[in-house]
Amino acid sequence: MTHKIRFTFLAAVALSALLVVSCSNSQPAAAPVQTPATAATDSKRNADLTAPTTPAASDTPNVPGGSRSGETAATNNIDKPDPAAPQPAAKTYRMNPKTYDIVPIDAAAHTKQVVLLTFDDGPKDLELNRSLLDTLDKHKAKAIFFLNGYRIKQHPDIVKLLDERGQTIGNHSWDHIDLKKESKEKVDRQIGDVQQAVKAITGKAPAFFRPPFGSGSEEVRAKAKEEGLLYMTWSNGSKDWEMTVKNNSPEQVVANVLEQLRPGSNILMHELPWTAEALDTLLTRLEERGYAFVDPQSIDTAMH
C-alpha cells in the first residue's frame, strides 16, 4: 500500500511539471523595452528600405570628364564637351614681318600656296556684308574684317553678324586717321577704344591690327604690341579703293589681284559694292590656280 501511494505522488509531481513546461512554451515572449535611440535607428532603417534606390549626387564620386550616377541629362551635358562646338584652329601659319606675306610655320607640313583675304573700313552696310559672307561661305573661306571704331558704334549688329558667321574681326583704328601724325595719347585711344568696343559686342578683343593708309610709327607699333595685336599692312592690293560709284570695274578688281599674286599674298580689299560683286569670280580664279584661303585663326600672332 505504501508503494502505491508513493508511485501516485511521484506521478502527480511529474504531471504538474509537464503542465508547467507546456504552458510556458505556448505563451508569447515579452517584447523588449525600446529606448529612444533604438527607436530612431529602427525608424531610419525603415525609411531607407522604402526610399528610392538612386543615390544622391552628393553621395556619388565626381569622375573627371564624365558623369556621376543619378545625375540628370542636363547636368551630364555640363561635364561633357559639345562635339558640335567649333574648335580653335591650330597655329600653322605666321606672318613675314618684312613682306607681310603669310607663310607656313612648317613648310613640309603645310602648303605655301595660300592667300589671306582682308576687308577694310567697315562695317557700313548690312546687305553688303551679307553678300560678302555668303560668297566666303560658298568657297569655305575665312577673312579678316578690319573695322573702324565709329562704324562699330553705328552698326554693332553687323559686328555681331561677322563674328557669328565665323569671320575674324581686326582693329583698323577708331576714326581712320593717319596715326603716324598723331600724339601717343591719341594713338592709344584710337587703338585701345576699338579693342574695348569689339570685346563688348563679341566677348573677345581683336588679335590683328592694320593702320589706316598703311601708315604707322614706332608708337603705333608699340601700342599694337601692348594690346596683343599683330601689326600688318598688306602685300597685294586690289586697288578697289581707287574706284568710285560712277567709275568702277569688278573685273579690274580681279585682274589687279591676279597680277600681283604670289604664295602668301596678303590681299587688301574693302567693303565696297564692286568688290562684293567681284569676290565670287576672284575666289574661283584663285582656286583654279591652286590657292587655298588661310584661316586667320591659324596664324600665330606671336611669331613675327
Side-chain angles (χ1 to χ4, degrees):
M1 182 68 178
T2 303
H3 292 290
K4 185 177 181 180
I5 293 171
R6 185 180 299 164
F7 176 82
T8 302
F9 175 76
L10 293 173
V13 171
L15 179 61
S16 298
L18 181 62
L19 289 173
V20 170
V21 172
S22 175
C23 290
S24 63
N25 289 340
S26 63
Q27 292 178 355
V33 177
Q34 197 171 45
T35 64
T38 304
T41 302
D42 289 346
S43 176
K44 182 179 185 303
R45 183 185 302 112
N46 292 336
D48 290 343
L49 292 174
T50 58
T53 57
T54 302
S58 60
D59 295 332
T60 55
N62 190 3
V63 182
S67 61
R68 299 180 300 184
S69 175
E71 289 182 326
T72 63
T75 304
N76 289 341
N77 289 337
I78 295 175
D79 295 332
K80 296 178 181 178
D82 181 3
Q87 300 301 313
K91 303 300 183 183
T92 53
Y93 286 86
R94 65 179 181 84
M95 185 192 72
N96 183 324
K98 295 181 179 179
T99 64
Y100 300 111
D101 285 338
I102 305 303
V103 297
I105 295 173
D106 183 354
H110 300 93
T111 180
K112 297 179 181 179
Q113 201 84 346
V114 296
V115 298
L116 175 65
L117 305 173
T118 69
F119 299 90
D120 284 14
D121 297 359
K124 302 175 186 176
D125 181 81
L126 179 58
E127 292 307 313
L128 183 54
N129 275 276
R130 282 177 174 163
S131 175
L132 293 172
L133 290 169
D134 289 345
T135 302
L136 291 170
D137 286 349
K138 176 183 176 181
H139 293 267
K140 298 180 180 179
K142 301 297 184 183
I144 303 175
F145 286 76
F146 284 103
L147 307 183
N148 295 125
Y150 76 96
R151 286 185 168 133
I152 291 172
K153 186 176 180 180
Q154 293 170 351
H155 302 289
D157 56 326
I158 301 179
V159 179
K160 188 175 182 181
L161 176 65
L162 294 171
D163 180 62
E164 290 175 344
R165 295 282 290 268
Q167 302 300 327
T168 296
I169 296 171
N171 186 326
H172 198 40
S173 83
W174 190 271
D175 289 309
H176 201 280
I177 56 178
D178 187 345
L179 297 177
K180 189 175 183 179
K181 301 176 181 179
E182 303 298 334
S183 66
K184 180 183 183 304
E185 292 74 17
K186 192 162 187 177
V187 166
D188 289 350
R189 291 196 303 272
Q190 286 286 314
I191 298 175
D193 288 355
V194 173
Q195 293 295 94
Q196 295 176 18
V198 174
K199 188 173 183 179
I201 297 170
T202 67
K204 49 187 179 289
F208 299 91
F209 174 74
R210 174 175 283 162
F213 317 109
S215 179
S217 65
E218 289 306 313
E219 289 179 346
V220 174
R221 289 176 179 273
K223 180 58 178 176
K225 184 176 181 180
E226 178 187 320
E227 294 286 349
L229 291 157
L230 177 60
Y231 180 106
M232 68 166 65
T233 60
W234 60 89
S235 63
N236 184 318
S238 66
K239 300 183 181 179
D240 58 355
W241 63 91
E242 295 180 355
M243 302 177 188
T244 65
V245 174
K246 293 183 178 181
N247 184 18
N248 64 79
S249 171
E251 294 79 11
Q252 190 59 48
V253 172
V254 175
N256 290 340
V257 172
L258 296 181
E259 285 173 6
Q260 305 169 65
L261 184 62
R262 66 172 185 254
S265 284
N266 185 338
I267 302 173
L268 169 61
M269 296 176 281
H270 291 78
E271 185 190 316
L272 295 167
W274 44 92
T275 303
E277 187 178 341
L279 189 60
D280 186 35
T281 300
L282 173 60
L283 300 189
T284 300
R285 296 282 180 83
L286 290 170
E287 289 170 324
E288 289 172 349
R289 296 191 181 195
Y291 281 84
F293 311 113
V294 170
D295 182 346
Q297 297 303 311
S298 72
I299 300 173
D300 191 337
T301 58
M303 295 182 64
H304 56 276

